[in-house]
């Protein structure tokens, strides 16, 4: 993708990533910590993670096109480098979302936890999933913040006046 309605597609697609990554991270952590919430989310959790996963290469691809059409500088290069590092984090969100969805569905189908009999064997797995989910979710959200911050600096560096122009009718 290059242009959408006359605008670089990257500046539009980035909004999906900025919203979807934290939303997916939050849903994953809630689902990993609280199996009841994961049961209620059902297949929405892995589908949300899949949409998020697909949005990242679309956005970075559009960003690579845009990078070739703007004056290159260190800020743009830094933003592009950081953007290339997001896909593994979002891939981790997707894999963990599928695992949480599958494990909760399997436990519900087999009645695990209903009688309490096999609940203890599931506790270490749930704790490990919650810790992994929290780690990957935190890494993904922090990475999105860093990428967005570097992109804003690249786009707005010396692109505006710090004092009002006096011509606005506010």
């Amino acid at each position: 993708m290059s242009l959408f309605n006359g605008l670089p597609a990257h500046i539009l697609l980035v909004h999906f990533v900025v919203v979807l990554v934290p939303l997916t991270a939050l849903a994953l952590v809630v689902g990993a910590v609280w199996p009841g919430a994961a049961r209620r989310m059902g297949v929405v959790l892995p589908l949300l993670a899949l949409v998020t996963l697909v949005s990242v290469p679309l956005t970075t691809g559009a960003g690579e096109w845009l990078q070739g059409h703007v004056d290159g500088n260190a800020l743009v290069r830094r933003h592009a480098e950081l953007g290339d590092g997001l896909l593994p984090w979002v891939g981790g969100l997707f894999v963990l979302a599928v695992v949480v969805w599958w494990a909760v569905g399997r436990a519900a189908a087999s009645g695990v936890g209903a009688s309490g009999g096999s609940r203890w064997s599931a506790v270490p797995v749930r704790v490990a999933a919650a810790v992994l989910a929290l780690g990957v979710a935190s890494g993904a959200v922090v990475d999105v913040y860093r990428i967005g911050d570097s992109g804003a600096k690249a786009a707005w560096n010396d692109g505006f006046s710090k004092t009002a122009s006096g011509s606005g009718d506010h």
Side-chain angles (χ1 to χ4, degrees), residues 12-77:
L12 300 172
L13 292 171
V14 73
H15 292 90
F16 289 106
V17 173
V18 167
V19 170
L20 289 175
V21 170
L23 183 62
T24 302
L26 178 63
L28 173 62
V29 170
V30 168
V33 170
W34 184 19
R39 271 191 299 280
R40 284 195 254 322
M41 283 187 272
V43 74
V44 170
L45 178 62
L47 288 178
L48 175 64
L50 179 62
V51 170
T52 303
L53 180 62
V54 169
S55 72
V56 171
L58 287 175
T59 304
T60 55
E64 289 170 1
W65 178 89
L66 181 57
Q67 185 180 8
H69 290 80
V70 298
D71 293 333
N73 62 43
L75 293 173
V76 171
R77 284 189 298 278

Side-chain angles (χ1 to χ4, degrees), residues 11 73 75-76 148-162:
I11 63 173
N73 62 43
L75 293 173
V76 171
D149 182 60
S150 70
K153 287 177 181 171
W156 290 101
N157 185 49
D158 294 330
F160 69 98
S161 174
K162 293 183 181 174

Side-chain angles (χ1 to χ4, degrees), residues 57-114:
L58 287 175
T59 304
T60 55
E64 289 170 1
W65 178 89
L66 181 57
Q67 185 180 8
H69 290 80
V70 298
D71 293 333
N73 62 43
L75 293 173
V76 171
R77 284 189 298 278
R78 175 70 177 150
H79 175 64
E81 289 169 6
L82 288 171
D84 289 338
L86 183 59
L87 191 58
W89 288 111
V90 177
L93 289 176
F94 174 71
V95 168
L96 287 170
V98 169
V99 167
V100 167
W101 169 72
W102 177 80
V104 167
R106 185 170 177 225
S110 67
V112 172

